[in-house]
Amino acid sequence: MGFGVRVHIIEGRELKGVDDGGMSDPFVRVAVCGQKDETDKFEKCSAAVFDKMMMFELNVSGKEFQTGIIKLECYDYNALGSNILIGQFEFGVGAVNMKPGHEYHGAWVALLNPALGFDPQGFLKVSVAAIKDGQAYAEHGGEEEEEQDESDLSKLVIMPPGMKLKPMKLSCCVYRAKDLPQMDLMGWCDGFIKMKFGAEIQTEVAESSADPAFLEELQLPVMTPSMSNVIEISLWDDDMGITQDYIGSVFYSFREINDRSIIGPHWAHLYGWPDDADADALAECKNMKPTEYKGSCLLSFTAEDDKGARVGKKKCEKAEEPALVQYEFRLDLFQVGELPEGVEDSEVYVTFGLGSTLNENNWGTSKTGKLEGNSCDYWVKDKKRGQYKLKTLWPAIKKSNLYLEKQVPDIFINLWTSPTFGSDKRIGFLRFEYDLKTCKHLSKDEIKWYPLVKDPFSGVVGKGEIPGFIQMRFQFGEKKKLPRAGGWPATRKADFLLRAHIYQGKELPAADAEGTSDAFCIMRMAGVKGQTKTIYCTCFPRWYETIELEVSLPTNTELLPNVYFLLYDEDEWGPPDYLGRFAVEAQNMSFKFKPDGELSDSDWYPLVTGEKDGVEETEGLVLASFQLIKKGPDIVKLKNSGQYGPHPEHPDGLFDIYPEHFSCIFECFIVGIRDLEPYNLLECSDPIIEIDCGDRSAEKIAETEQGETPNMSWKEQLQIECELPSNIIFAPNLNVRVYDNRMLGKTQVGSSSIPVAPYMSWTNVTHEPAVPEGVEFPDNEEEDEEDEQPPQDILPTDRIEMNETVHPVFKEFVFDTIVRGGQIGQRSIPETKPISIGGEEEEEMEGGSKKKDPVKDRPCLEKDWETSEEGFTKDNPPPFHVYDVMRGGGGGGGGMFSMLSIASVTKCVGKLKMRCRAYPLNSADHLDEATLEDRWAELGREKKMTLRVYLIRGISLMANDSDTNPFANVLLTNHEPVMDIDRTLRESTQSPSFYTYYEFKDVKMPGDHTLTIEIWDNNLMGNDLIGKAKVDLEDRHFTRSWWDKDISELKWRPKEWLPLWSTSSGLPQGRVEVWIDLLDDKEAGQVPIIPLNPPKGNPWELRVVCWKVTDLNFRDKTGVDLFCSGLLEFKSIEDDKMKRPVDRQDTDTQWFMEPQHYGSFHWRWIFPAQLPCTIPKLLVQTWDCELLTPNDAMCECNLQLGGFFKAADTKGTFHTVDVDLGMTHPNFRGIQGNIQLTLEMWPQDDAEDDPAEPGRTPELLEREGMYAYYRPPGSFPSFSLWPIIRARLLKYKKHCIGCCIGVVVVVGVAAIVMLSDERLKRNVQPWETDKYTGLGLTPVQWEWNEAGNKLGMYGAGHGVMAQEVMQHYSWPVVVQGSDGYHRVNYLLLGILSFVQQTVALLL
């Protein structure tokens, strides 16, 4: 099964500034089930439009898909160092899939950093979708940004959504572990426990112990409600800190812990895979729970509200362990059967128990029995051979919570084989969980046959085989609560007659290269077997045969073995091929014959073809009924009563099980075959269709004339006379064989089958037409999707952007953040005033109505026509009955020449289109009604057409690499393909605009049936196919709802979104937007060709005047050197990419601005722009200019200009607005300043006629409020020269910074940083010296303790205590290492001491 995840990172806002200067260089990394991708990087901003679509195809199991995580991480990019995590968010893949449309669309998420607690570090707007096979990604119009109401300018200031978040602390106390496996050659296991839930934390390593004590409490911050639910507790072995070996895991539900608040001390059992497990075998175990016990951990959990929670750990006290009680394991072993062929006639035995196999009290072993063939009843013959008891101690289960109810390990019963040579191997096993739900069931006294689960690592059970069955009575539970053990069953035997009535099979697996099988059935019971005849060349065999077996069976029905049926494909050359099996419980068989009228769907037995991840796989069905009769007088009585069933002396003359049939006519009007693939590398250019109803005599077979092409249109009617049943349960399938006439004669190249039941007019079954993929006939009742909604996460349910000053929910929480200078700041969302931007000025064209654009204003179905309301429905079905032509399944079996065919899996190699009906011979339908051929002629739709294809754009194409360069090819059956890389190649986009037109003349209907649109990715090393969209033109042409339109409707045929499919995936690879005109000669003359012109943005000019900045929050500064910057970006409609027409533009700098002043600029920025466009945004920032360090961001506002641009585009002329906006900073709470701006939009021609210069021009000085730069008073000339020097050096800022960095590096190399943490010292004594005393520090001398020795510090030392230095000086005099210990920079400390002494001398 295929799975897919699509993540669209749209934009980020209020991203925490972590660089010097208060800004970040953000990018977003997305990780999904081991796959990763990331967005582009942006420089020095707190808001960015990433607009990156990421597609992930997942090769995972269904369980991994449901429990998988979509992790979004926003980082600050650093070129020379490691990237810094700003914040992260997680979605559950399964929870996303359960949402309506399988997605969160345009959702805002809060980014949290586990190391910083619960203060949101920013917000991301994302769309996330997760789908399985058969599902499709929801697509949206793409103009949603433009549809927002933006007449209110307060909505131009971007705000994060309101979310009610609850900060909590999750704590796990790890007390001790036991029964850990040996992992090291020298020693035992250096174990530690890791807890993972978003972030992760681990215990200290317990060296070389099987039963280590940890006594640590692991703590993680959790923001609720949370999309994640699975907490993983894993056990690891540490190899000297170099590598870590995974041992096993146990999983917890956070919601369960949160609901309970406290989960008391309990034993959790960990399971893993064998240490020597083969990688290929592990790959087959995706859905299987690990099979090997790896130890137990004593844990407890708490979940509590805590705004100050951080990732961390601390010591905890010992806990009282759960009390132990005595459990009893009772096993009555009787027999085993149907074991794999590889162990026939070998010796077998059973082991049973729970927990560690090293503990003899937990495990027992049975006596060894000898197989007779593949079965053994050695143990049932004697109680002493088969009865076993085992007593063991484990905690009592309590009705408290999920985890206190699961303190007993899983119970295993293993079946082993002892080969003559080599070690014993496990064939299979049974596994039982013991908890409150299962304890009553496991204490029952009942004898049952249990199917074994295959051991995936022993290699005993081959592909397609079953591990077998074991019959036993098994009881487990607390000894004092177990019911009294049952007695040993009686084992007296008697002779029985087993009668199996095998009627027919359907949809059996294909084993021959032609796509059919030669099926026969073998029945086995108690060492006796019988076989049916072989039915050739069909997957729908009809045996109508009774098999009788005389068997000796126990009279105790509890001990009766099952009846097993094995189906095979007979091969002329070589042994038969295994098709599958099914089993029937003998104790449920009746002694009476079941007449035809009593047979029902329950008598169809599914054929088990194999096993995957412990789950049986089925393909095909067999209809059968059974009798088990004790030999003797019972048989005579049944015969006399007529309940024995068919036999030669039956009183009613019932000699066999052939049901009632009567003569019928089956009529097929074969339209044609479509897309028949080559066979054995040769094209099937001369196809012939042959049909029969099971009788292959010459007069009962009908065939078409020889065709001329793999897409032959015969339009030929075939009739065959056949026998059809009156009871629908016996309705057969017509066998259809496809031949190709070759040099050596007719060669079968495929097969198909036609179900007869839907065409039998005397039944109530209606034909369900084959429909294109994705078409579903909806029921009348609307589905209520709310029942399957996952728990809500911290996404806003309505996704409305809101202001904390007007939304009560947002007022409930306040976030504290440590900022520069030790000041405590608080984040907030500012209040802004509503200002109109003139969106109401839209004008109508002359005449009162706006002329419709034939492309933009054309209606769009947002899906393909077939799945739309106009497409196929129950009342408007597809015009043809379509059946798949199959091939494959084997490389031989049909004869000597068929052995040369290439073995392959069964696959569809073509389609048959036809119309069918069946009616009794000489009935009114036969004699009076028109034939299907006559009806076809009356339809009158066989004609030549003109096809016009308008290819508009691609939507969310799957990226094959980091750079997608799509182009399109268009193909029509029986016409020359159009390879159109020259016209349609678009570079670096997943949403290309094609705007290309194609026309095909003389399109035959029927015949030229399929339009194919291929989208390719152009690469230097070759082109990669992204996907194909196929349209069955014949289905549309012959469907009334498509062609029965007047000219006005044909002129406005709606656009469609066709899904793209690839053979390498079961998931859609994107969509293409098209519309299709299929017109006859008259219509083609009346419907004009629409010229396709790609959307083009008209050139405009945005002029922004920055007047002044007021109410600036100086925070810890006494003065700033203020300047402002502006940056415009928008998404172009021409190539669907974000554009920055020019780099960031700055004002000049206002030097030495003090809090009582305001920033006065009167400065103009000019930005080239395009209208129309999408997502236009203007980022305005204010900065404190720094010469040698990065500029310090003071505040910013991010204007969404969609409404302003739309109003200007509507007017088509000059448009302006004055605004006064509050500005914020992501690291501080509240308004940080206000800025006054004027925005002007000019058409390019008007702008050239009325040009303006950027910067401060004379006309801008005419506005009141401008004043000269402020200069502080003072007597030193340097004060007046410094601004000039500073301004001159500003252009060389980067070079100055580089020189300073070089000096710092040189000094840093010479710096001496040494461990001086008091936690690493002992025997601390005063050190008699005057060093450092002038700094207020106490010199000391010491010896290093054991913790210091581990860090390489031995002997004695002298200096100062790092903790004392921290009270007086911060970084870089004192630094904290990654190990958590503090270090003192003695070089800097010496410099400070020297300066202090020098100052003291001067004073």
Side-chain angles (χ1 to χ4, degrees):
M1 175 177 280
F3 302 97
V5 169
R6 183 177 73 185
V7 180
H8 185 194
I9 306 297
I10 303 171
E11 62 177 307
R13 305 177 188 171
E14 293 286 320
L15 301 177
K16 177 75 174 292
V18 297
D19 288 342
D20 291 342
M23 290 288 109
S24 296
D25 305 322
F27 72 96
V28 179
R29 180 176 295 158
V30 179
V32 183
C33 299
Q35 299 184 36
K36 294 183 179 181
D37 199 355
E38 61 186 40
T39 67
D40 294 333
K41 301 167 181 66
F42 291 77
E43 294 183 357
K44 291 186 174 19
C45 62
S46 65
V49 180
F50 299 104
D51 192 35
K52 176 67 179 285
M53 182 79 72
M54 306 176 190
M55 312 286 282
F56 302 91
E57 288 210 18
L58 309 179
N59 183 24
V60 297
S61 66
K63 182 177 180 181
E64 289 173 323
F65 178 78
Q66 290 297 329
T67 59
I69 296 297
I70 303 170
K71 190 170 186 178
L72 314 179
E73 297 175 308
C74 185
Y75 285 93
D76 169 56
Y77 174 73
N78 288 315
L80 300 179
S82 59
N83 302 321
I84 300 174
L85 178 67
I86 297 175
Q88 64 186 35
F89 186 83
E90 292 183 355
F91 291 91
V93 179
V96 174
N97 180 255
M98 291 173 63
K99 294 290 289 181
H102 318 297
E103 69 167 349
Y104 283 101
H105 178 66
W108 282 100
V109 298
L111 299 173
L112 303 180
N113 189 330
L116 300 177
F118 302 104
D119 183 11
Q121 304 297 297
F123 301 89
L124 283 181
K125 186 178 184 181
V126 300
S127 291
V128 179
I131 60 173
K132 310 174 185 178
D133 271 350
Q135 299 174 348
Y137 293 117
E139 301 294 350
H140 303 274
E143 297 182 357
E144 295 168 2
E145 293 285 343
E146 297 301 314
E147 295 172 0
Q148 298 174 358
D149 178 14
E150 310 221 2
S151 60
D152 186 344
L153 190 59
S154 63
K155 296 180 181 179
L156 295 183
V157 181
I158 295 175
M159 314 229 184
M163 305 174 192
K164 189 173 183 179
L165 311 177
K166 182 181 180 183
M168 300 188 71
K169 178 176 70 176
L170 172 66
S171 300
C172 173
C173 289
V174 183
Y175 301 107
R176 75 180 189 93
K178 66 178 183 180
D179 299 332
L180 301 190
Q182 184 174 4
M183 300 295 294
D184 301 328
L185 295 176
M186 304 291 292
W188 194 262
C189 175
D190 302 325
F192 64 92
I193 302 294
K194 184 183 295 184
M195 177 171 68
K196 184 177 181 180
F197 187 56
E200 60 182 48
I201 184 74
Q202 68 183 51
T203 66
E204 299 295 330
V205 176
E207 296 183 355
S208 191
S209 175
D211 302 293
F214 294 101
L215 297 179
E216 291 187 67
E217 180 180 329
L218 307 179
Q219 299 174 343
L220 291 176
V222 180
M223 185 67 78
T224 60
S226 171
M227 279 292 291
S228 301
N229 183 48
V230 179
I231 304 168
E232 180 180 8
I233 304 295
S234 54
L235 174 64
W236 298 76
D237 173 57
D238 181 73
D239 292 335
M240 302 179 66
I242 301 174
T243 60
Q244 298 175 346
D245 298 328
Y246 171 76
I247 300 177
S249 293
V250 65
F251 298 92
Y252 287 81
S253 165
F254 174 73
R255 297 190 186 103
E256 173 77 15
I257 296 173
N258 191 26
D259 291 342
R260 304 273 180 178
S261 297
I262 298 176
I263 305 293
H266 63 282
W267 286 103
H269 309 291
L270 295 89
Y271 295 89
W273 300 110
D275 296 334
D276 57 351
D278 181 72
D280 293 335
L282 282 175
E284 298 178 3
C285 302
K286 291 180 179 178
N287 283 331
M288 184 183 292
K289 184 178 178 181
T291 58
E292 192 164 302
Y293 174 81
K294 294 292 187 178
S296 302
C297 295
L298 186 63
L299 309 172
S300 69
F301 287 89
T302 59
E304 56 187 342
D305 297 347
D306 188 348
K307 293 183 179 180
R310 297 288 189 272
V311 177
K313 59 185 178 181
K314 65 179 182 180
K315 289 293 183 180
C316 65
E317 300 295 329
K318 287 186 178 181
E320 182 178 353
E321 297 186 10
L324 302 180
V325 298
Q326 190 174 67
Y327 286 82
E328 187 167 278
F329 195 123
R330 301 172 186 167
L331 177 64
D332 292 345
L333 179 62
F334 300 120
Q335 51 190 329
V336 296
E338 297 307 311
L339 302 187
E341 292 183 2
V343 301
E344 288 184 350
D345 301 320
S346 68
E347 293 183 339
V348 294
Y349 64 93
V350 170
T351 61
F352 53 93
L354 66 166
S356 173
T357 55
L358 300 178
N359 189 338
E360 296 180 355
N361 296 325
N362 293 342
W363 284 85
T365 304
S366 75
K367 295 182 179 179
T368 301
K370 178 74 173 178
L371 289 176
E372 297 178 2
N374 61 1
S375 301
C376 178
D377 61 356
Y378 167 80
W379 303 278
V380 75
K381 297 175 181 178
D382 190 343
K383 176 180 179 180
K384 295 181 180 179
R385 296 179 182 177
Q387 193 169 73
Y388 305 93
K389 285 187 180 180
L390 183 69
K391 295 180 181 179
T392 181
L393 294 175
W394 293 98
I397 59 175
K398 298 180 180 180
K399 190 175 182 179
S400 174
N401 60 63
L402 181 64
Y403 305 107
L404 296 184
E405 297 171 6
K406 287 189 174 181
Q407 297 200 77
V408 177
D410 292 352
I411 302 159
F412 283 85
I413 299 175
N414 307 305
L415 179 64
W416 298 79
T417 177
S418 297
T420 306
F421 302 100
S423 59
D424 296 355
K425 294 184 178 181
R426 186 167 70 169
I427 302 172
F429 63 91
L430 301 174
R431 183 178 195 162
F432 303 92
E433 292 186 359
Y434 186 78
D435 53 37
L436 279 180
K437 294 180 180 179
T438 61
C439 63
K440 292 183 180 179
H441 175 73
L442 295 181
S443 65
K444 288 183 178 180
D445 179 17
E446 58 180 350
I447 300 173
K448 287 181 61 178
W449 280 94
Y450 294 88
L452 292 168
V453 178
K454 169 185 173 182
D455 187 318
F457 307 107
S458 65
V460 175
V461 184
K463 185 176 181 181
E465 290 187 311
I466 58 173
F469 300 84
I470 183 170
Q471 188 186 47
M472 64 183 186
R473 177 167 54 200
F474 161 60
Q475 292 175 280
F476 181 85
E478 293 185 37
K479 182 179 179 182
K480 62 182 180 181
K481 295 181 181 180
L482 274 181
R484 186 175 180 178
W488 194 259
T491 58
R492 188 170 59 87
K493 289 189 174 184
D495 293 332
F496 286 82
L497 180 65
L498 172 65
R499 305 189 80 213
H501 309 290
I502 312 299
Y503 295 96
Q504 61 193 70
K506 63 180 180 181
E507 300 174 356
L508 301 188
D512 296 333
E514 297 81 9
T516 60
S517 292
D518 306 323
F520 67 92
C521 177
I522 294 178
M523 180 177 69
R524 296 199 305 210
M525 185 182 192
V528 184
K529 67 179 182 179
Q531 180 174 330
T532 68
K533 61 189 175 185
T534 301
I535 307 298
Y536 294 95
C537 299
T538 180
C539 292
F540 296 83
R542 293 191 289 169
W543 291 283
Y544 296 120
E545 188 173 349
T546 297
I547 303 175
E548 294 186 347
L549 298 180
E550 294 183 359
V551 290
S552 178
L553 301 175
T555 55
N556 187 337
T557 56
E558 290 184 319
L559 297 177
L560 285 176
N562 293 336
V563 183
Y564 297 97
F565 290 83
L566 301 164
L567 266 75
Y568 291 90
D569 168 68
E570 180 182 300
D571 283 345
E572 185 177 351
W573 302 85
D577 299 322
Y578 172 77
L579 296 180
R581 49 101 182 161
F582 66 93
V584 183
E585 294 183 358
Q587 59 187 358
N588 295 330
M589 291 182 183
S590 172
F591 59 87
K592 295 181 181 180
F593 175 71
K594 183 180 286 190
D596 296 350
E598 296 180 12
L599 293 174
S600 63
D601 290 342
S602 62
D603 295 305
W604 284 100
Y605 292 90
L607 194 64
V608 179
T609 56
E611 183 182 288
K612 184 176 182 180
D613 300 330
V615 180
E616 290 183 343
E617 295 181 316
T618 62
E619 182 180 357
L621 298 164
V622 174
L623 179 64
S625 66
F626 306 93
Q627 294 174 266
L628 186 61
I629 311 168
K630 189 175 181 180
K631 297 190 70 174
D634 291 349
I635 292 181
V636 177
K637 292 179 181 179
L638 286 172
K639 286 183 176 180
N640 293 336
S641 65
Q643 296 178 331
Y644 179 79
H647 67 282
E649 294 83 21
H650 193 281
D652 298 329
L654 187 61
F655 300 103
D656 55 37
I657 61 173
Y658 192 78
E660 179 187 1
H661 284 64
F662 53 90
S663 297
C664 296
I665 296 293
F666 196 90
E667 190 176 284
C668 296
F669 182 77
I670 299 182
V671 178
I673 193 167
R674 301 294 178 248
D675 298 324
L676 183 59
E677 295 183 8
Y679 180 71
N680 284 352
L681 306 180
L682 297 177
E683 186 179 71
C684 301
S685 56
D686 301 311
I688 301 172
I689 307 299
E690 182 181 280
I691 299 177
D692 70 69
C693 196
D695 186 349
R696 300 195 66 193
S697 56
E699 65 275 10
K700 297 294 185 179
I701 296 177
E703 69 176 28
T704 64
E705 296 179 355
Q706 178 177 312
E708 301 173 351
T709 169
N711 288 286
M712 181 63 188
S713 294
W714 282 282
K715 295 165 287 185
E716 182 177 351
Q717 180 169 291
L718 301 181
Q719 287 185 340
I720 57 173
E721 185 176 335
C722 55
E723 298 289 319
L724 295 181
S726 57
N727 188 344
I728 192 174
I729 199 168
F730 300 108
N733 276 48
L734 258 67
N735 300 311
V736 181
R737 287 173 292 279
V738 182
Y739 294 95
D740 184 39
N741 198 359
R742 299 191 171 183
M743 185 169 54
L744 296 178
K746 289 198 308 183
T747 301
Q748 186 172 343
V749 297
S751 62
S752 186
S753 62
I754 303 173
V756 174
Y759 304 106
M760 294 164 58
S761 57
W762 52 94
T763 69
N764 294 323
V765 178
T766 58
H767 181 262
E768 291 290 341
V771 295
E773 185 173 356
V775 177
E776 296 181 359
F777 292 155
D779 296 329
N780 293 331
E781 297 181 3
E782 295 184 1
E783 296 182 1
D784 185 6
E785 297 180 333
E786 297 198 0
D787 292 339
E788 59 175 7
Q789 294 306 308
Q792 277 296 323
D793 56 304
I794 63 173
L795 300 174
T797 55
D798 51 4
R799 301 197 298 270
I800 296 176
E801 298 176 8
M802 55 192 70
N803 189 322
E804 66 163 344
T805 58
V806 298
H807 197 280
V809 171
F810 212 89
K811 291 181 179 179
E812 292 184 7
F813 54 93
V814 174
F815 307 113
D816 295 338
T817 305
I818 301 297
V819 296
R820 287 177 38 173
Q823 178 185 357
I824 301 297
Q826 294 180 317
R827 303 185 56 184
S828 71
I829 310 305
E831 180 180 7
T832 55
K833 300 178 181 179
I835 302 176
S836 172
I837 61 169
E840 71 281 356
E841 298 179 16
E842 188 169 337
E843 298 178 358
E844 293 183 346
M845 294 188 63
E846 295 182 5
S849 63
K850 186 176 180 180
K851 185 178 180 181
K852 294 173 66 174
D853 185 282
V855 178
K856 184 177 180 180
D857 296 328
R858 183 175 293 269
C860 183
L861 298 177
E862 296 191 358
K863 56 177 67 176
D864 53 12
W865 177 85
E866 285 80 359
T867 59
S868 69
E869 295 180 357
E870 298 182 11
F872 299 132
T873 63
K874 287 184 177 180
D875 297 328
N876 184 43
F880 307 114
H881 304 162
V882 182
Y883 297 102
D884 293 339
V885 177
M886 307 303 295
R887 184 192 301 162
M896 182 174 65
F897 290 106
S898 67
M899 291 188 66
L900 301 176
S901 12
I902 301 170
S904 63
V905 297
T906 304
K907 66 173 184 176
C908 176
V909 294
K911 302 280 187 181
L912 273 175
K913 287 188 175 181
M914 60 179 65
R915 297 287 295 180
C916 305
R917 65 172 178 169
Y919 46 83
L921 190 66
N922 298 322
S923 66
D925 290 341
H926 181 207
L927 300 175
D928 301 332
E929 289 195 10
T931 65
L932 293 176
E933 189 172 19
D934 295 335
R935 294 179 182 178
W936 172 266
E938 293 172 1
L939 186 61
R941 293 290 294 165
E942 187 175 342
K943 58 176 70 174
K944 290 185 178 181
M945 310 290 288
T946 296
L947 173 66
R948 297 173 183 168
V949 181
Y950 298 87
L951 178 59
I952 310 301
R953 62 187 176 117
I955 304 172
S956 304
L957 303 182
M958 172 68 77
N960 292 323
D961 47 41
S962 59
D963 186 24
T964 304
N965 304 300
F967 68 91
N969 294 333
V970 178
L971 302 87
L972 178 64
T973 307
N974 300 326
H975 289 252
E976 287 295 323
V978 181
M979 306 303 180
D980 206 12
I981 187 172
D982 295 333
R983 286 198 304 164
T984 61
L985 179 62
R986 305 292 184 266
E987 295 183 353
S988 302
T989 178
Q990 291 175 258
S991 298
S993 295
F994 295 115
Y995 285 82
T996 311
Y997 162 78
Y998 304 89
E999 184 175 64
F1000 297 89
K1001 299 283 191 179
D1002 297 328
V1003 178
K1004 296 180 181 179
M1005 287 290 132
D1008 304 343
H1009 53 87
T1010 301
L1011 169 69
T1012 303
I1013 300 174
E1014 298 178 340
I1015 304 298
W1016 294 77
D1017 179 18
N1018 179 251
N1019 294 310
L1020 290 176
M1021 303 302 294
N1023 300 326
D1024 299 322
L1025 178 65
I1026 296 175
K1028 300 179 181 180
K1030 291 191 174 184
V1031 178
D1032 192 318
L1033 299 175
E1034 282 179 338
D1035 279 358
R1036 298 191 181 195
H1037 177 74
F1038 289 98
T1039 301
R1040 180 172 292 275
S1041 62
W1042 170 268
W1043 60 263
D1044 192 9
K1045 306 281 187 183
D1046 58 32
I1047 293 299
S1048 61
E1049 291 176 301
L1050 292 178
K1051 289 180 178 179
W1052 288 92
R1053 178 80 72 183
K1055 294 181 288 189
E1056 307 174 41
W1057 288 357
L1058 304 179
L1060 296 168
W1061 300 94
S1062 171
T1063 56
S1064 62
S1065 172
L1067 303 174
Q1069 307 296 293
R1071 297 175 186 261
V1072 287
E1073 185 177 68
V1074 302
W1075 89 80
I1076 299 169
D1077 288 338
L1078 189 60
L1079 310 168
D1080 59 25
D1081 292 340
K1082 180 179 178 182
E1083 294 166 342
Q1086 295 176 309
V1087 177
I1089 298 174
I1090 305 298
L1092 292 182
N1093 298 313
K1096 185 175 180 61
N1098 297 315
W1100 285 64
E1101 187 174 277
L1102 172 64
R1103 300 175 183 177
V1104 180
V1105 179
C1106 176
W1107 298 106
K1108 61 181 178 180
V1109 175
T1110 59
D1111 301 323
L1112 185 65
N1113 186 349
F1114 279 58
R1115 297 190 283 272
D1116 57 344
K1117 300 174 180 287
T1118 58
V1120 297
D1121 302 321
L1122 187 69
F1123 72 94
C1124 301
S1125 67
L1127 177 65
L1128 175 69
E1129 59 180 354
F1130 55 85
K1131 180 182 281 190
S1132 172
I1133 62 173
E1134 297 179 5
D1135 56 8
D1136 201 49
K1137 296 179 183 179
M1138 292 300 297
K1139 302 289 186 181
R1140 288 185 177 179
V1142 293
D1143 292 335
R1144 190 186 80 180
Q1145 299 191 39
D1146 300 338
T1147 66
D1148 61 352
T1149 303
Q1150 182 166 335
W1151 304 102
F1152 297 103
M1153 178 178 166
E1154 295 183 352
Q1156 66 269 25
H1157 301 104
Y1158 64 87
S1160 180
F1161 296 100
H1162 293 238
W1163 193 275
R1164 179 186 287 117
W1165 300 317
I1166 298 179
F1167 302 96
Q1170 290 180 0
L1171 293 185
C1173 64
T1174 60
I1175 324 180
K1177 300 181 186 298
L1178 177 66
L1179 175 63
V1180 179
Q1181 298 172 296
T1182 61
W1183 304 83
D1184 178 17
C1185 180
E1186 302 288 350
L1187 180 61
L1188 300 179
T1189 60
N1191 297 326
D1192 193 1
M1194 301 300 295
C1195 52
E1196 67 178 19
C1197 62
N1198 202 331
L1199 282 72
Q1200 182 175 331
L1201 301 178
F1204 178 67
F1205 276 24
K1206 185 176 181 179
D1209 191 33
T1210 302
K1211 290 174 62 177
T1213 59
F1214 170 78
H1215 185 59
T1216 184
V1217 66
D1218 292 328
V1219 295
D1220 189 350
L1221 302 175
M1223 306 180 77
T1224 61
H1225 191 289
N1227 294 6
F1228 300 91
R1229 181 177 178 81
I1231 295 290
Q1232 303 297 304
N1234 292 285
I1235 189 167
Q1236 293 183 9
L1237 303 172
T1238 295
L1239 280 67
E1240 299 176 350
M1241 280 299 290
W1242 292 76
Q1244 186 63 40
D1245 293 340
D1246 294 350
E1248 292 174 356
D1249 293 339
D1250 189 3
E1253 294 293 329
R1256 184 178 294 108
T1257 55
E1259 68 272 14
L1260 298 181
L1261 297 176
E1262 298 175 0
R1263 179 161 172 167
E1264 295 181 0
M1266 181 66 188
Y1267 64 88
Y1269 287 169
Y1270 172 72
R1271 297 287 184 269
S1275 57
F1276 295 101
S1278 60
F1279 279 162
S1280 58
L1281 293 175
W1282 174 240
I1284 300 174
I1285 296 173
R1286 200 172 184 183
R1288 293 292 185 183
L1289 291 178
L1290 195 59
K1291 65 177 68 177
Y1292 305 107
K1293 178 178 178 178
K1294 293 183 179 180
H1295 303 286
C1296 296
I1297 293 174
C1299 295
C1300 293
I1301 291 175
V1303 172
V1304 171
V1305 170
V1306 172
V1307 173
V1309 170
I1312 302 175
V1313 181
M1314 297 185 63
L1315 279 166
S1316 194
D1317 197 301
E1318 65 181 8
R1319 292 172 290 178
L1320 305 176
K1321 304 172 182 178
R1322 65 184 178 188
N1323 298 332
V1324 180
Q1325 302 292 332
W1327 179 31
E1328 295 182 0
T1329 180
D1330 57 354
K1331 256 189 172 184
Y1332 314 124
T1333 56
L1335 300 176
L1337 304 177
T1338 304
V1340 293
Q1341 53 188 352
W1342 63 81
E1343 293 178 358
W1344 298 102
N1345 60 20
E1346 294 180 357
N1349 295 342
K1350 290 183 179 180
L1351 297 174
M1353 309 301 292
Y1354 299 92
H1358 56 268
V1360 293
M1361 290 291 188
Q1363 280 76 3
E1364 183 184 19
V1365 178
M1366 289 174 62
Q1367 297 176 8
H1368 300 276
Y1369 305 96
S1370 59
W1371 184 91
V1373 179
V1374 179
V1375 295
Q1376 184 178 19
S1378 59
D1379 54 8
Y1381 294 108
H1382 296 88
R1383 293 161 171 76
V1384 173
N1385 191 324
Y1386 281 93
L1387 177 62
L1388 291 178
L1389 204 62
I1391 294 173
L1392 291 174
S1393 179
F1394 174 77
V1395 172
Q1396 183 270 332
Q1397 293 176 13
T1398 302
V1399 172
L1401 290 173
L1402 292 175
L1403 296 177

